[in-house]
Amino acid sequence: MFQLRPAAPRDVRAIRELVEPYAHERILIAKEAVAYYEAIQEFVVAHPMGEPHTIIGCGALHVMWEDLAEIRTLAVSQHHRGHGIGDALVTELLHRAHTMQLSRVFCLTFEVDFFTRHGFHPIDGTPVSTEVYAELLRSHDDGIAEFLDLARVKPNTLGNTRMLIELNEHPPHP
């Protein structure tokens, strides 16, 4: 049994420890601690019932544009995989996107089947207008560069699948 809650700054160390083995395997991108602190309000964490300071899963929803966000840094402790924690995190993040009236959520993943079960589908190209693309190019965020499929992030994204969900077609279930 586990619960979800919004992440707090005190969770950054545990989030980094969760991400580390995945970053070592090049499944997730390692980030500096300051990047986690700057984005902590985007994160949801999972913890065992009655143990709110023991983090066993995390995920973040990063808004990219007025109608678009990205699920990023989705990780579950190796010892807790297969217990529905990842499903619960994605469902919560999609619910947050829906609450913010976003219509599309992007992810870059090796876990295609997992995200397909949540309504995501693989995409080619960048599903934004030319004007929005030009604006997004101004961002220094690597996640946005991944969304735009820019050459500068290619070494970090090899083997990943770019996926998208249209929330109007697949409303999340809280």
Side-chain angles (χ1 to χ4, degrees):
M1 298 291 290
F2 62 90
Q3 290 181 301
L4 302 182
R5 65 170 172 78
R10 69 175 179 269
D11 299 321
V12 166
R13 181 171 287 127
I15 291 170
R16 289 187 77 200
E17 288 172 5
L18 269 179
V19 170
E20 183 181 359
Y22 295 106
H24 184 70
E25 294 178 44
R26 298 184 63 115
I27 293 170
L28 293 176
I29 296 174
K31 298 177 186 167
E32 299 297 330
V34 68
Y36 288 107
Y37 285 110
E38 290 174 342
I40 199 65
Q41 70 280 0
E42 298 178 353
F43 278 84
V44 173
V45 294
H47 63 84
M49 295 287 254
E51 299 179 50
H53 301 297
T54 302
I55 306 304
I56 57 175
C58 67
L61 183 72
H62 179 77
V63 175
M64 299 168 72
W65 200 251
E66 68 184 25
D67 66 338
L68 178 67
E70 177 188 10
I71 289 180
R72 53 171 64 171
T73 320
L74 185 67
V76 174
S77 160
Q78 296 289 341
H79 302 307
H80 294 90
R81 290 185 66 160
H83 298 334
I85 297 167
D87 289 322
L89 287 164
V90 168
T91 299
E92 174 61 23
L93 294 170
L94 291 175
H95 178 69
R96 282 182 167 200
H98 183 74
T99 299
M100 287 190 275
Q101 300 179 344
L102 300 170
S103 58
R104 301 177 300 159
V105 178
F106 167 78
C107 70
L108 183 72
T109 186
F110 288 105
E111 301 293 337
V112 175
D113 292 341
F114 172 82
F115 280 97
T116 298
R117 286 194 311 269
H118 287 277
F120 286 78
H121 60 87
I123 59 169
D124 290 318
T126 304
V128 293
S129 69
T130 306
E131 296 80 19
V132 172
Y133 186 93
E135 288 291 329
L136 291 175
L137 276 175
R138 297 175 185 190
S139 174
H140 297 287
D141 185 277
D142 282 342
I144 291 178
E146 292 165 354
F147 174 73
L148 297 176
D149 205 21
L150 299 180
R152 72 178 172 87
V153 293
K154 290 284 189 200
N156 293 326
T157 63
L158 291 175
N160 279 292
T161 299
R162 301 167 74 246
M163 301 184 79
L164 191 76
I165 185 173
E166 301 277 346
L167 293 180
N168 299 335
E169 296 172 14
H170 302 278
H173 306 296

